[in-house]
Amino acid sequence: MVQHVEQNLQLMTKRAVKAENNATKLKQENALLQVQLKNYKTENEALRLGQSASLAVVKQNADLALQNLLTVITNSRSSIKQLVSGAESLQLVAELLKSIDRISEVSEDGQ
């Protein structure tokens, strides 16, 4: 009977040691997971801040592109007005050249 109790005691001691080892192992794993969680939270926050910064840069670039586009539009309107004015001047010159031909023909007939 005493031997049986001693065997049970040894078996329970082995189980207790095994349980303590498992508990220690789980505590270490838990600590590691807590550190990883903290690192992931920090990384997540950094990504959020980076995304906000990226959006700000995109908005700034879009504003700059809009300003450049408006400048190009203004300059092109001016260039178009100059082209139209030049075309009108060329049309006037063409009309004058036609008139010179008529004047020359009249002069030759009149002589």
Side-chain angles (χ1 to χ4, degrees), residues 44-86:
N44 192 17
E45 186 61 27
L47 288 172
R48 282 189 188 143
L49 291 174
Q51 184 178 18
S52 296
S54 294
L55 289 175
V57 169
V58 167
K59 184 181 180 324
Q60 184 179 7
N61 288 342
D63 289 343
L64 182 61
L66 176 61
Q67 289 173 1
N68 289 337
L69 184 59
L70 291 173
T71 302
V72 167
I73 289 170
T74 302
N75 292 340
S76 11
R77 283 184 180 159
S78 175
S79 296
I80 289 170
K81 286 179 184 177
Q82 288 175 353
L83 281 171
V84 168
S85 176

Side-chain angles (χ1 to χ4, degrees), residues 3-28:
Q3 188 178 9
H4 185 44
V5 170
E6 285 178 352
Q7 284 176 348
N8 282 341
L9 185 59
Q10 285 177 349
L11 185 60
M12 286 192 293
T13 302
K14 284 182 184 179
R15 286 184 188 164
V17 168
K18 189 175 181 180
E20 285 177 7
N21 288 338
N22 275 340
T24 302
K25 185 178 177 181
L26 289 173
K27 284 179 185 178
Q28 289 172 347

Side-chain angles (χ1 to χ4, degrees), residues 40 51 99 102:
Y40 290 145
Q51 184 178 18
S99 297
R102 286 187 209 139

